[in-house]
């Protein structure tokens, strides 16, 4: 099967390169973990070590997602022309739009997350190794609005990503084409 490297010779590849695939599944895993941690800490009472620990894990994983997202966007801008679209016409427009919406929602979500922490006394901290100092001052009223936006955006991401994943599964199991296979790692 043609791979990303052969595209460097001039043709466009029919599958994503390994780095894009790694970043894609890392993003998917992090988004699910971030959503999951928030759902679980909701069951723990305020101020308990369990709740504080999960929030701390959420923020650390959120910082990791910010780094993965940044890397992913830069890498995509540098390489996307090397991968040929898997579908054409309206399907191409619709899938590109969904991908763009996911990128925009994730960038917004990471920004809201950082702003929520900057509004509190403790700066966002990465597993106790370093913290990200506040770049802007956020007052309590704005913090409340951003908190609401963070909560709504979380559900939007899950809904759009769910639709996106369902479309990928339909391609694989119903249409039986290569759309999902080109985002799945191959051996060798
Ligand atoms: C796709 C990524 C993310 C998802 C799906 C997500 C999801 C959520 C959800 C569902 C909540 C609970 C909201 C509520 O019920 O009011 C929450 C709260 C929060 N998130 Fe995120 N989040 C993400 C990224 C981030 C990032 C990148 C950061 C920071 C670096 C962050 C920091 C926070 C903080 C500080 C809270 C409030 C915790 C508290 O109650 O004190 N989140 N997040
Ligand atoms: C939170 C979860 C997910 C997020 C945020 C996400 C995000 C994205 C984004 C932004 C792209 C566009 C890549 C590009 O820049 O070209 C993409 C592509 C893709 N994703 Fe996901 N994804 C998620 C989960 C999944 C799942 C669970 C599946 C499979 C069941 C999947 C299958 C695919 C496939 C096959 C492509 C390539 C589509 C094409 O060839 O045009 N994704 N994903």
């Amino acid at each position: 099967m043609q791979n990303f490297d052969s595209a460097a010779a001039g043709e466009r590849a029919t599958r994503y390169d390994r780095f894009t695939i790694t970043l894609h599944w890392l993003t998917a895993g992090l988004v699910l973990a971030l959503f999951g941690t928030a759902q679980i800490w909701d069951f723990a009472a305020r101020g308990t070590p369990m709740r504080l620990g999960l929030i701390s894990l959420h923020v650390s994983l959120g910082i990791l997602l910010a780094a993965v997202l940044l890397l992913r966007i830069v890498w995509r801008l540098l390489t996307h022309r090397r991968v040929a679209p898997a579908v054409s016409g309206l399907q191409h427009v619709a899938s590109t739009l969904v991908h763009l919406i996911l990128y925009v929602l994730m960038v917004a979500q990471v920004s809201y997350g950082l702003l929520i922490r900057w509004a509190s006394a403790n700066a966002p901290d990465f597993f106790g190794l370093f913290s990200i100092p506040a770049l802007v001052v956020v007052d309590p009223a704005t913090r409340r609005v951003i908190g609401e936006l963070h909560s709504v955006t979380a559900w939007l991401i899950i809904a759009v990503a769910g639709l996106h994943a369902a479309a990928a599964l339909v391609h694989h199991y119903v249409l039986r084409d290569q759309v999902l296979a080109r985002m799945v790692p191959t051996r060798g």
Side-chain angles (χ1 to χ4, degrees), residues 35-46 48 50-52 54-55 151 155:
F35 189 75
T37 45
Q39 301 315 308
I40 299 168
W41 83 54
D42 226 16
F43 289 102
R46 284 190 178 274
T48 53
M50 161 89 159
R51 187 177 173 114
L52 295 176
L54 282 170
I55 293 177
S151 173
W155 286 99

Side-chain angles (χ1 to χ4, degrees), residues 129-149:
L129 296 174
F130 64 86
S131 56
I132 305 177
L135 298 179
V136 288
V137 178
V138 186
D139 60 78
T142 313
R143 191 254 176 247
R144 267 193 298 280
V145 175
I146 293 171
E148 290 294 324
L149 286 171

Side-chain angles (χ1 to χ4, degrees), residues 16 24-25 72 76 99 102-103 164-165 179-180 182-183:
Y16 284 92
H24 175 270
W25 294 111
R72 188 158 179 201
R76 191 193 196 282
H99 296 163
L102 281 171
Y103 280 127
H164 160 82
V179 168
L180 178 57
R182 63 196 226 131
M183 195 46 110

Side-chain angles (χ1 to χ4, degrees), residues 81-103:
R81 292 207 161 272
R82 297 194 206 166
V83 188
V87 289
S88 56
L90 208 63
Q91 264 197 69
H92 178 55
V93 176
S95 64
T96 307
L97 194 68
V98 168
H99 296 163
L100 187 71
I101 291 173
L102 281 171
Y103 280 127

Side-chain angles (χ1 to χ4, degrees), residues 31 34-35 38-39 41-42 46 51 55 58-59 61-63 65-66 106 109-110 113-114 116-117 124 143 147 150-151 154-155 157-158:
V31 167
L34 282 157
F35 189 75
Q39 301 315 308
W41 83 54
D42 226 16
R46 284 190 178 274
R51 187 177 173 114
I55 293 177
H58 181 89
V59 171
L61 294 179
I63 293 173
L65 177 68
M106 286 190 290
Q109 187 70 337
V110 164
L114 291 173
I116 294 173
R117 265 290 140 117
R143 191 254 176 247
H150 192 73
S151 173
W155 286 99
I157 291 175
I158 294 302

